[in-house]
Amino acid sequence: MCHPQMRTLIFVAWLLFYVSFLLGMRRMWTGKYVRSPLARALIMNMGSETDSPGSPGSEAQQWYRCSPEMLGEQVRSQFIQSHLDEDTQAFLRRSMEKSGWLFTQLYHSLFSTIFSPIVSRTSINGFLGRGSMFVFSKEQFQRLLRIEPEWKGQRMLDLGAGDGGVTEVMGRHFHEVFATEVSTPMKWHLQRKNYSLLGIDEWHRTGFQYDLISCLNLLDRCDEPLQLLQDIRRSLVPHTGRLVLAAVLPFQPYVETGGAWVRPKEHIKVQGKTWEEQVTHLSTDVFLKVGLEVEAVTRLPYLCEGDMYKDYYMLDDAVFVLKPQE
C-alpha cells in the first residue's frame, strides 16, 4: 500500500507537471511558437495594437457587418445597423484583464479538468463565477425595442438566464423580473440578484403574461424549439408583448443528453449559407409558422469571457425583436 507521504509527493509532482504544461501551452498559443521573450513580447504588443477591439480595420469592426441588399424584401426594412459601443468595449477590456490573471486561470483550468467529466460546463462556470456572457449593451437593447432609457414595463421573463448579466441590461426597464435556469450554481447567482425563479417546465403554466420574454441563444440548444416559440407566443401580453430572440448563425442545433450532444427531437433546418440568407429564412419561414413577425433585427457578437488561452470568445448572433401576428 502506498505511503501517505508518497501519495502527496506524487500529487505535487503531477500538479507541477500540469501547471508547467499549461504555461507551455499558453506560451505557444500567445507567442506563436516564438522562443525569445523579447521577440514574443514585441509580437504580442504588435498584435494588441493591430487587433485591439475598436481600432480601425480591426476584427471587431466585422462583427456588425451586414449587406442589407442580401436580406429578403420583408426583412430589409426591419434591419438596424449596430456598432461597437462603450459597453461592449468595457466588457472586452474586463475579459482581457481577467485572462491575464495567471494563477486564477490556472486554478480555473485545474478545477475544470477535475470536474468536467461529472459537472456541466455551465455549472462549473457558475461555481467559479466566470464565463459571463455579453449579447447587447443598454443602448443597443433600447434601440432594438425603440424605447427611451426611462421607459418601464410591468413584467419580463428571461429564459435560460445564466448568471443574470444580460438579464440586468433588460431588467432595469421592468418592475418584475422572472428567470429560468437549469444550472444550480447559476440559480444561486440569479437569487442573489433578487430575480424570481420559475421552473423550466412551469413558466408557461403560471397564468402570467409578460411584456417581454427573452430567449437568448437558446433555440439551437432546445429539444423542441417550435413548441418553445409557441409557448412564448401564448405567454406574451396580447398586442404589446414582445419576444427578444438571439440565435447563433450558422444555425447548428444540438442538445446535451447525459454528457453527449445529440440532434433535437424537433429539428429546424435553416436554409442559406450567409448570415443574411439564414436571417431571411428564419424571419419569413420559421417564425411566421408559429405566428411571430419580425419587428427589428440586428447583427451582434455573442461574447463570452475567455481563459488563459484566449482573451474572449465570440460567436455570430442575429438578434430579433418579434411580435405576435394579429
Side-chain angles (χ1 to χ4, degrees):
M1 188 172 178
C2 193
H3 194 275
Q5 287 182 336
M6 181 60 73
R7 285 203 299 267
T8 302
L9 193 62
I10 292 170
F11 175 76
V12 170
W14 174 84
L15 187 60
L16 288 172
F17 170 77
Y18 181 79
V19 170
S20 301
F21 172 76
L22 289 177
L23 287 172
M25 289 298 292
R26 179 172 174 83
R27 289 192 194 101
M28 290 168 62
W29 190 280
T30 56
K32 303 295 184 185
Y33 306 99
V34 176
R35 293 176 183 271
S36 162
L38 177 59
R40 186 163 58 246
L42 285 170
I43 286 176
M44 290 174 71
N45 286 336
M46 287 166 60
S48 65
E49 287 173 6
T50 56
D51 296 332
S52 170
S55 62
S58 72
E59 174 196 2
Q61 305 298 329
Q62 307 301 317
W63 295 345
Y64 305 88
R65 180 163 293 179
C66 171
S67 301
E69 68 278 4
M70 293 178 63
L71 292 168
E73 193 175 343
Q74 291 174 280
V75 188
R76 200 175 304 147
S77 60
Q78 313 302 333
F79 177 74
I80 294 175
Q81 181 64 60
S82 295
H83 304 276
L84 183 69
D85 63 9
E86 181 51 42
D87 283 0
T88 310
Q89 292 185 70
F91 178 86
L92 292 170
R93 284 194 295 269
R94 287 194 302 273
S95 296
M96 287 186 269
E97 182 185 350
K98 288 183 179 181
S99 180
W101 296 349
L102 182 59
F103 289 105
T104 301
Q105 295 298 342
L106 285 170
Y107 166 66
H108 287 173
S109 182
L110 179 62
F111 189 96
S112 298
T113 301
I114 293 170
F115 290 102
S116 58
I118 55 173
V119 182
S120 73
R121 174 66 60 180
T122 302
S123 291
I124 288 173
N125 286 340
F127 276 121
L128 297 173
R130 56 163 287 181
S132 290
M133 307 290 184
F134 186 96
V135 180
F136 39 60
S137 67
K138 297 188 295 289
E139 289 80 6
Q140 288 163 348
F141 177 70
Q142 290 161 9
R143 282 190 70 211
L144 272 172
L145 280 182
R146 299 183 179 95
I147 57 175
E148 297 297 322
E150 302 79 21
W151 181 86
K152 287 275 189 182
Q154 183 57 39
R155 184 183 294 132
M156 74 152 282
L157 168 66
D158 189 10
L159 297 172
D163 65 1
V166 186
T167 318
E168 233 172 307
V169 174
M170 302 177 286
R172 68 187 70 227
H173 290 286
F174 295 90
H175 296 291
E176 298 175 80
V177 179
F178 294 83
T180 71
E181 178 54 53
V182 175
S183 165
T184 299
M186 290 300 187
K187 288 179 183 178
W188 299 337
H189 287 285
L190 294 168
Q191 287 169 332
R192 279 197 291 270
K193 293 177 179 179
N194 294 319
Y195 297 139
S196 302
L197 287 176
L198 298 175
I200 58 170
D201 295 318
E202 69 172 17
W203 63 268
H204 54 288
R205 298 192 181 102
T206 60
F208 290 155
Q209 287 190 310
Y210 302 92
D211 298 295
L212 181 82
I213 296 178
S214 58
C215 178
L216 306 178
N217 303 301
L218 191 61
L219 205 63
D220 59 345
R221 296 294 176 260
C222 173
D223 210 24
E224 297 179 290
L226 295 175
Q227 184 61 54
L228 173 65
L229 291 173
Q230 289 167 353
D231 289 338
I232 289 172
R233 185 182 179 279
R234 285 192 289 267
S235 301
L236 290 169
V237 171
H239 309 300
T240 59
R242 294 293 182 267
L243 163 62
V244 175
L245 183 143
V248 173
L249 300 180
F251 193 77
Q252 297 173 328
Y254 286 95
V255 293
E256 190 176 9
T257 305
W261 291 95
V262 298
R263 289 278 188 182
K265 284 194 291 188
E266 275 182 0
H267 180 56
I268 297 177
K269 186 170 176 57
V270 179
Q271 296 174 8
K273 294 181 179 179
T274 66
W275 185 89
E276 291 84 356
E277 288 170 346
Q278 292 211 351
V279 164
T280 299
H281 185 256
L282 281 167
S283 303
T284 57
D285 189 83
V286 177
F287 297 149
L288 282 178
K289 279 183 178 176
V290 293
L292 293 167
E293 183 181 338
V294 174
E295 190 170 69
V297 61
T298 192
R299 185 174 192 165
L300 291 172
Y302 176 30
L303 298 167
C304 175
E305 285 180 349
D307 48 32
M308 66 184 298
Y309 304 110
K310 201 164 184 180
D311 291 335
Y312 54 84
Y313 292 91
M314 192 280 290
L315 292 171
D316 210 359
D317 249 356
V319 183
F320 300 86
V321 177
L322 300 162
K323 63 180 180 180
Q325 283 182 297
E326 294 297 331

